[in-house]
Amino acid sequence: MTEEVKANGLDQAQAAQPQFAIQRIYTKDISFESPNSPAVFQQEWKPEVKMDLDTRSAKLDDNSYEVVLSVTVTANAGDQTAFLVEVQQAGIFTIADMSDQQKAHILGSFCPNTLFPYARECISNLVNRGTFPQLNLAPVNFDAIFAAYMQKRIEEAQAQQAAAQSQEA
């Protein structure tokens, strides 16, 4: 009987451990446009490349979440758009037995960091198929982006609280 109690106590302790697992990584949407070809191929290639990132997450069930990383890359040659690539790289992740703060960090930083190499490879392949010179996107520090986002939310909450206090006074 003592062994049963120990085993049950061990199972309960293990059940309370934070859990994270990747269920699936997939491409949700892809778009490649070269609106000014073939004229853009006749110009000297000195592009201005701009990258925009966005993430969103949705709860699928008790412990499953879909995270979507949207990456848009625009290359302009002079005043013309050479190409525009949009990729939505997604994943389904199991996240359990974590605090809300830990979940927010996993969904806002760790999951996008996991998805980015897949999106980067997809973008590189699409640009290559468009016969443009190779494009290697630099790594992104999602921890810093998430920290800045959280700091902004804190500052907004403090500003709202200050505004509410000044109205009461």
Side-chain angles (χ1 to χ4, degrees), residues 59-82:
K59 189 171 186 172
L60 302 176
D61 60 36
D62 287 343
N63 297 324
S64 295
Y65 297 83
E66 178 190 50
V67 177
V68 179
L69 172 64
S70 298
V71 183
T72 303
V73 177
T74 307
N76 293 315
D79 59 349
Q80 294 185 330
T81 300

Side-chain angles (χ1 to χ4, degrees), residues 32 73 85 87 117-130 132-137:
F32 177 84
V73 177
V85 181
V87 172
Y118 294 93
R120 181 174 54 200
E121 179 185 13
C122 185
I123 289 167
S124 179
N125 288 339
L126 289 168
V127 169
N128 187 41
R129 289 177 185 257
F132 289 95
Q134 186 169 355
L135 176 67
N136 292 318
L137 298 176

